[in-house]
């Protein structure tokens, strides 16, 4: 019946069903979830209004903590990056980016990734497995634990809490839509995290049928798409997903998303020297964006180990932005954060995986 090991993965109804089968009162599901998501307790024994016998049954069946911190890297710009070991021995990453009173968290949704984008370190790890909703939620909860333990204050003078979630860490979130949907529903639930839809953004490489499924499910989040190139030939070079779902199909899906949800789409655009940061790319970007309700989030490439890709110079970036803005397209440049701690997606876990493999090979 219960397929999840982490209790945070269960919906209220699933937890009620489990309690009922275990001879417990189903109403305790709300109490338990209140402890898990509002109080964010670290152990079943902290659930004061749950009888010790019930706590023991829960502890025998489920875990509250599925992730073990393996490493933390602190950037000079305030960005923090955690490397976690999962219960089955894999590595994932979570990044916290504090900006002007906001605490944004970029979460991983899979161990590795199958999408093979050329500019991404996670791609080089291959795909291992999907993360459970409980594991994704724990990435967020653990940042809250850090903010509490370090006595970090928000703008209101109270202990700070995570304010925004970006599903843009390791993995393609739409390839794990069931668990990402569960995560968003728990975060959005008024009696649990009570986080507004606009504070959660799912970023995809562009899996067209899954964008439609996201709309059908009414998953409470905003949509960002990694466009990165405006021309099929060039996009296929950096993002193989484009061979299956080329730009025209992708735009049909994002147009449908905009029509049915009344939300704009954000196009992520990584600026790569001589590939995506060119006059031709700027013109093509304008052609795509001008007729649509959208905005562009540009970011300068964070060079991984791929010697074939380079970051553009600041002058080249300014020139590109000026061309796009002249056409009245809303484009913002995201300052790269945490470069001194390898904050780009997958860099820390990839290095850790190399260490593990090197160790395995030498023993
Ligand atoms: S950029 Fe995202 S979708 Fe592409 S390989 Fe990396 S993790 Fe996967």
């Amino acid at each position: 019946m219960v397929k999840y090991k982490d209790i945070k993965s269960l919906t209220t109804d699933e937890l009620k069903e489990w309690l009922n089968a275990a001879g417990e009162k189903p109403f305790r599901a709300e109490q338990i979830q209140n402890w898990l998501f509002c109080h964010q307790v670290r152990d079943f024994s902290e659930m004061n209004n749950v009888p010790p016998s019930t706590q023991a049954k829960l502890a025998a069946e489920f875990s509250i903590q599925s992730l073990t911190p393996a490493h933390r890297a602190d950037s000079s710009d305030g960005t923090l990056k955690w490397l976690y070991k999962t219960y089955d021995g894999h590595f994932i990453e979570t990044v916290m980016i504090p900006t002007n009173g906001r605490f944004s968290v970029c979460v991983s949704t899979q161990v590795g990734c199958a999408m093979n984008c050329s500019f991404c370190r996670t791609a080089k790890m291959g795909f291992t497995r999907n993360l459970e909703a409980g594991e994704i939620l724990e990435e967020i909860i653990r940042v809250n634990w850090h903010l509490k333990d370090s006595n970090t204050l928000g703008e209101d003078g109270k202990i700070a809490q995570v304010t925004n979630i970006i599903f843009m860490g390791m993995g393609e979130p739409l390839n794990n839509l069931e668990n990402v949907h569960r995560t968003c529903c728990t975060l959005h639930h008024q009696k649990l995290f009570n986080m507004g839809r606009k504070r959660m953004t799912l970023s995809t490489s562009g899996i067209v049928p899954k964008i439609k499924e996201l709309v059908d499910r009414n998953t409470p989040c905003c949509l960002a798409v990694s466009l990165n190139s405006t021309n099929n030939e060039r996009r296929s070079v950096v993002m193989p997903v484009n061979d299956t779902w080329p730009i025209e199909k992708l735009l049909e899906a994002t147009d449908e998303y905009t029509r049915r949800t009344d939300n704009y789409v954000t196009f992520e655009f990584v600026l790569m020297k001589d590939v995506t940061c060119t006059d031709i790319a700027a013109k093509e970007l304008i052609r795509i964006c001008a007729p649509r309700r959208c905005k562009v989030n540009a970011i300068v490439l964070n060079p991984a180990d791929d010697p074939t890709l380079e970051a553009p110079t600041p002058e080249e970036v300014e020139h590109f932005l000026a061309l796009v803005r002249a056409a009245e397209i809303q484009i913002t440049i995201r300052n790269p954060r945490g470069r001194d701690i390898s904050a780009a997606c997958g860099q820390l876990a990839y290095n850790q995986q190399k260490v593990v493999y090197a160790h395995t090979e030498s023993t």
Side-chain angles (χ1 to χ4, degrees):
M1 177 189 78
V2 170
K3 60 175 178 159
Y4 293 107
K5 173 184 166 61
D6 185 320
I7 192 167
K8 303 189 301 300
S9 298
L10 272 67
T11 63
T12 312
D13 285 345
E14 287 170 342
L15 188 51
K16 277 184 182 168
E17 196 188 332
W18 184 86
L19 286 162
N20 199 27
E24 298 289 335
K25 302 270 188 297
F27 76 85
R28 298 228 178 266
E30 275 99 3
Q31 290 178 331
I32 293 164
Q33 290 194 318
N34 183 272
W35 285 110
L36 292 172
F37 302 122
C38 301
H39 298 282
Q40 298 181 8
V41 295
R42 303 178 198 203
D43 194 272
F44 290 107
S45 62
E46 294 176 60
M47 299 181 173
N48 285 339
N49 56 359
V50 177
S53 57
T54 314
Q55 290 176 13
K57 280 189 195 172
L58 291 168
E61 178 80 20
F62 300 109
S63 62
I64 289 186
Q65 299 191 34
S66 296
L67 304 176
T68 309
H71 180 67
R72 192 183 91 196
D74 296 24
S75 167
S76 53
D77 67 16
T79 302
L80 297 182
K81 181 170 191 169
W82 286 268
L83 179 73
Y84 293 115
K85 195 172 187 176
T86 60
Y87 62 81
D88 52 353
H90 302 294
F91 290 94
I92 59 157
E93 302 170 353
T94 310
V95 180
M96 180 191 80
I97 308 145
T99 322
N100 303 329
R102 286 194 313 191
F103 292 87
S104 302
V105 174
C106 182
V107 294
S108 296
T109 53
Q110 297 183 308
V111 178
C113 184
M115 300 312 293
N116 211 16
C117 303
S118 67
F119 49 85
C120 170
R121 184 61 60 86
T122 302
K124 295 178 175 55
M125 296 170 64
F127 170 72
T128 302
R129 73 165 171 89
N130 287 330
L131 292 179
E132 284 185 16
E135 293 175 297
I136 304 170
L137 288 163
E138 187 168 329
E139 294 182 65
I140 298 155
I141 289 170
R142 280 186 176 272
V143 175
N144 279 337
W145 288 352
H146 162 77
L147 293 169
K148 187 174 176 193
D149 295 347
S150 59
N151 211 24
T152 304
L153 301 180
E155 281 182 325
D156 57 1
K158 295 183 185 157
I159 295 291
Q161 295 240 320
V162 172
T163 56
N164 297 71
I165 315 290
I166 315 153
F167 295 88
M168 200 190 193
M170 295 168 64
E172 163 54 67
L174 289 184
N175 276 347
N176 186 15
L177 186 50
E178 169 60 31
N179 289 317
V180 169
H181 178 80
R182 277 174 184 256
T183 304
C184 288
C185 290
T186 301
L187 290 168
H188 189 54
H189 195 296
Q190 246 185 341
K191 290 187 178 166
L192 302 177
F193 280 83
N194 195 21
M195 190 169 272
R197 182 183 278 259
K198 294 244 158 92
R199 294 205 277 139
M200 298 181 266
T201 302
L202 183 155
S203 175
T204 178
S205 59
I207 301 179
V208 165
K210 296 279 182 176
I211 293 175
K212 294 183 177 171
E213 193 182 329
L214 184 80
V215 179
D216 289 341
R217 282 173 174 257
N218 194 20
T219 304
C221 66
C222 299
L223 180 67
V225 174
S226 290
L227 190 61
N228 293 333
S229 186
T230 46
N231 158 307
N232 281 324
E233 204 181 323
R234 275 197 303 275
R235 191 168 189 264
S236 287
V237 171
V238 288
M239 302 184 73
V241 65
N242 197 71
D243 289 336
T244 312
W245 294 293
I247 293 171
E248 305 73 48
K249 294 278 169 214
L250 179 59
L251 294 175
E252 270 173 35
T254 57
D255 286 349
E256 185 181 336
Y257 168 86
T258 307
R259 197 169 55 247
R260 288 177 59 194
T261 64
D262 202 26
N263 276 333
Y264 62 82
V265 173
T266 301
F267 291 119
E268 309 276 357
F269 204 82
V270 179
L271 295 171
M272 303 172 225
K273 188 179 178 71
D274 298 332
V275 181
T276 59
C277 191
T278 64
D279 285 11
I280 293 173
K283 271 190 204 146
E284 288 172 347
L285 186 61
I286 292 165
R287 183 176 47 77
I288 285 177
C289 294
R292 298 189 157 82
R293 272 183 67 206
C294 63
K295 63 179 189 179
V296 180
N297 204 350
I299 184 161
V300 175
L301 175 78
N302 191 351
D305 278 356
D306 188 339
T308 64
L309 295 172
E310 261 183 78
T313 63
E315 293 73 31
E316 287 167 335
V317 172
E318 275 314 313
H319 177 68
F320 183 90
L321 294 179
L323 286 177
V324 176
R325 283 183 181 139
E328 298 187 355
I329 306 294
Q330 199 186 340
I331 182 166
T332 49
I333 181 93
R334 195 147 43 91
N335 287 324
R337 300 286 300 266
R339 287 220 161 154
D340 52 337
I341 56 162
S342 303
C345 156
Q347 291 196 347
L348 215 55
Y350 176 71
N351 290 344
Q352 183 63 36
Q353 192 193 46
K354 275 204 300 197
V355 169
V356 172
Y357 287 167
H359 178 72
T360 312
E361 280 165 13
S362 65
T363 50

